[in-house]
Amino acid sequence: MPAAGDAQTAIHEITLAHRARKGDAAAFGELVRAHQGAVFNVCYRLTGERREAEDMAQEAFIRAYERISSFDPMRPFGPWMRRVAANVCLNALAATRRLVFSLDDESQPEPRADALSEPATAYEQRLTADAVRDALLALPAHYRAVIELVHFQGMSYAEAAQVLRLPLSDVKSHLFRARKSLAKTLPQHP
């Protein structure tokens, strides 16, 4: 059963979504503030570059604002917004066929606070995070997209197939091959 705070947040988002559908830009702005971190993360995982992810996140919010009338305000806004972001990034990747990414981005994930007390632990976490990020970025874009939607967004295979406009069998195949590639690249990491 959801916590009272979760229920209040959901009700607040439904109210904001209704207002945004009626043209209330301030309501949409509140939705943006609530979901900008998650949207940026989707874009960053798909593009692998901070500035490009920022641009894609902004484009995703613009696209969502333009298409807010297609959003069902009785459904959660977050998953819909993350799908919009994923589609914006996938369309941009398909249009440019850009598969080489800068791995010298200054925005590395921060170690957990408890890890900071142990420098060796923080160092190991950083190495692992870097290795996983590099391995994900080395995957072809269509494999990264499936990993993003299924593992990071928690979509079912069928939902990922719908978002990617692929047959279900292709999604399963891409996910299998992506996992296999990651297993070869990251054998020493948990």
Side-chain angles (χ1 to χ4, degrees):
M1 179 166 211
D6 293 341
Q8 288 176 334
T9 300
I11 291 169
H12 182 63
E13 283 201 353
I14 289 170
T15 303
L16 291 173
H18 276 295
R19 289 176 35 207
R21 283 184 56 144
K22 292 180 181 178
D24 185 341
F28 188 78
E30 286 188 54
L31 291 169
V32 169
R33 279 186 289 285
H35 296 282
Q36 63 189 3
V39 168
F40 172 80
N41 289 337
V42 168
C43 296
Y44 184 72
R45 284 191 296 263
L46 287 171
T47 65
E49 206 278 323
R50 182 178 178 77
R51 286 176 196 86
E52 188 172 357
E54 289 169 349
D55 290 345
M56 292 294 106
Q58 182 176 1
E59 177 64 28
F61 283 116
I62 290 169
R63 185 101 25 104
Y65 186 74
E66 292 170 347
R67 296 191 174 117
I68 192 72
S69 63
S70 69
F71 171 67
D72 176 2
M74 296 310 291
R75 302 195 65 136
F77 183 79
W80 180 78
M81 188 62 236
R82 290 189 303 271
R83 285 182 189 148
V84 171
N87 283 333
V88 165
C89 292
L90 294 171
N91 290 342
L93 288 171
T96 62
R97 298 285 183 217
R98 184 172 158 238
L99 299 177
V100 178
F101 301 102
S102 168
L103 299 178
D104 298 324
D105 193 354
E106 66 277 0
S107 64
Q108 300 294 323
E110 292 299 318
R112 293 187 342 247
D114 61 337
L116 294 177
S117 62
E118 285 291 326
T121 303
Y123 177 74
E124 285 297 320
Q125 285 181 343
R126 177 60 138 258
L127 286 179
T128 301
D130 288 349
V132 170
R133 189 192 83 226
D134 293 350
L136 285 169
L137 292 174
L139 292 173
H142 57 284
Y143 289 177
R144 261 194 335 270
V146 172
I147 291 283
E148 168 64 27
L149 295 177
V150 172
H151 289 292
F152 290 104
Q153 299 303 319
M155 289 185 189
S156 69
Y157 294 173
E159 290 171 323
Q162 182 181 13
V163 167
L164 297 171
R165 296 180 186 93
L166 291 173
L168 182 60
S169 60
D170 285 2
V171 168
K172 290 178 180 180
S173 174
H174 291 346
L175 192 56
F176 174 79
R177 290 182 180 136
R179 287 174 179 161
K180 189 174 179 180
S181 177
L182 290 172
K184 285 180 185 175
T185 307
L186 301 168
Q188 71 280 11
H189 293 283

